[in-house]
Amino acid sequence: MAESKRRGEDAGDERLEEDAIVDDVADDDATTAEDEPVSRGGTTTRKRARAESTEGRKTRKDTERIGLFARIARFFREVVAELRKVIWPTRKELLTYTAVVVTFVAVMLAIVGGLDYGFAKAVLFVFGNAS
């Protein structure tokens, strides 16, 4: 009885593999080399990727035409644009984060101060009090 179950499972596995092979062949016929994505999971085709890469290039003359003040102004515009994208914490979150940081720094200060005091006493004990 156990053998018949095993044989049935094996037959089912073979049927699944045959279906997968048929599907793979059908998918290969439908796509062409131009429609393939550039990388795994990418949606850009090779033709589009080449076109976009040449469009974004700037020649040296284009960058030399921009003056110093124009570049500075552009820098500040981009900084402001990036700061608008930031998700700022609420007042409650800010106070909570500040309390956590101050508490952590106080604990670390106590540990380092305690170790410093302990090592200083140990050194004076080992080498004697020179005063």
Side-chain angles (χ1 to χ4, degrees):
M1 186 170 208
E3 291 178 22
S4 65
K5 286 183 180 177
R6 287 185 190 155
R7 286 185 193 150
E9 291 173 2
D10 291 339
D13 291 341
E14 290 174 7
R15 277 185 256 131
L16 290 175
E17 289 176 11
E18 290 174 12
D19 291 341
I21 292 169
V22 172
D23 289 342
D24 289 341
V25 173
D27 289 342
D28 288 355
D29 294 339
T31 58
T32 62
E34 293 177 358
D35 294 333
E36 288 182 310
V38 175
S39 64
R40 289 183 168 205
T43 57
T44 306
T45 60
R46 289 183 182 158
K47 198 181 282 185
R48 188 183 303 159
R50 283 191 208 119
E52 288 174 359
S53 66
T54 57
E55 290 173 4
R57 292 186 189 164
K58 289 187 177 182
T59 61
R60 187 174 208 154
K61 292 178 183 177
D62 291 341
T63 57
E64 289 180 45
R65 291 180 190 167
I66 300 173
L68 177 66
F69 293 112
R71 285 185 285 173
I72 293 172
R74 183 172 136 201
F75 171 76
F76 283 112
R77 279 195 309 270
E78 290 178 4
V79 167
V80 169
E82 288 297 321
L83 286 175
R84 287 185 181 151
K85 295 178 188 177
V86 173
I87 299 172
W88 295 98
T90 63
R91 184 174 183 86
K92 184 179 179 181
E93 289 173 337
L94 185 65
L95 292 174
T96 302
Y97 298 155
T98 304
V100 168
V101 169
V102 169
T103 303
F104 177 76
V105 168
V107 168
M108 293 306 295
L109 179 71
I111 290 171
V112 171
L115 288 173
D116 182 47
Y117 181 77
F119 284 129
K121 287 294 183 183
V123 167
L124 286 176
F125 178 74
V126 170
F127 295 112
N129 197 358
S131 49

